[in-house]
Amino acid sequence: MPGVAVGSAFRVGEPDVHYGQLKQDLYEAWTRQVNAAHAAAGTHAFVVFDGDGSEAGLRRVHRRLGEPRHVVGDPYLVPARRSPLLQAADQVAYSGFQQLVRQPRRRFMWEWLQELIPKVEGPFQLSTNEVRAPASLPEPGMRTW
């Protein structure tokens, strides 16, 4: 699809940090990255996220972005089972996970990202305060991480 970019990001957690907090922190770092990239490009983004509406922390992340915001509104939460595009994004994320952890029983997935999606970005690590702009933004369209 023209204008679509795909990538994955991750964060390594400390043993004493709860998984939910790690996920929240990664989402915040990613949202700040997307906001900064779109600010630099003079464009805007809208986030569609796999969820059931109970993820209030994601909405708080968007509201902490400050002005001017280039990530428009709150994330739109949709269960992945209802969206083929979110299912594809989940596959990208899981393939990136397998590329990193290399579980022997999933060996066939270790290089899926580069083999099936040659222009994929990542997986790349986002640290707590890092704002890392992707290599480039596509022309106006969608961006999946």
Side-chain angles (χ1 to χ4, degrees), residues 19-30:
Y19 171 75
Q21 185 62 51
L22 182 67
K23 180 179 172 182
Q24 179 80 25
D25 291 347
L26 175 59
Y27 183 77
E28 183 154 7
W30 174 82

Side-chain angles (χ1 to χ4, degrees), residues 18-61:
H18 185 272
Y19 171 75
Q21 185 62 51
L22 182 67
K23 180 179 172 182
Q24 179 80 25
D25 291 347
L26 175 59
Y27 183 77
E28 183 154 7
W30 174 82
T31 303
R32 290 186 181 286
Q33 171 194 334
V34 170
N35 194 64
H38 280 277
T43 59
H44 292 84
F46 181 74
V47 176
V48 180
F49 194 86
D50 179 9
D52 62 7
S54 65
E55 297 86 353
L58 304 182
R59 289 187 290 277
R60 286 192 295 272
V61 164

Side-chain angles (χ1 to χ4, degrees), residues 54-106:
S54 65
E55 297 86 353
L58 304 182
R59 289 187 290 277
R60 286 192 295 272
V61 164
H62 286 236
R63 293 173 187 169
R64 284 195 299 262
L65 285 173
E67 296 295 333
R69 273 179 57 178
H70 289 266
V71 174
V72 179
D74 289 342
Y76 182 60
L77 302 169
V78 179
R81 69 180 178 278
R82 295 187 183 162
S83 169
L85 286 176
L86 281 177
Q87 290 175 13
D90 282 350
Q91 184 61 51
V92 168
Y94 190 68
S95 296
F97 172 73
Q98 287 302 326
Q99 182 176 333
L100 293 170
V101 300
R102 299 201 179 272
Q103 293 175 328
R105 69 180 188 273
R106 299 281 188 254

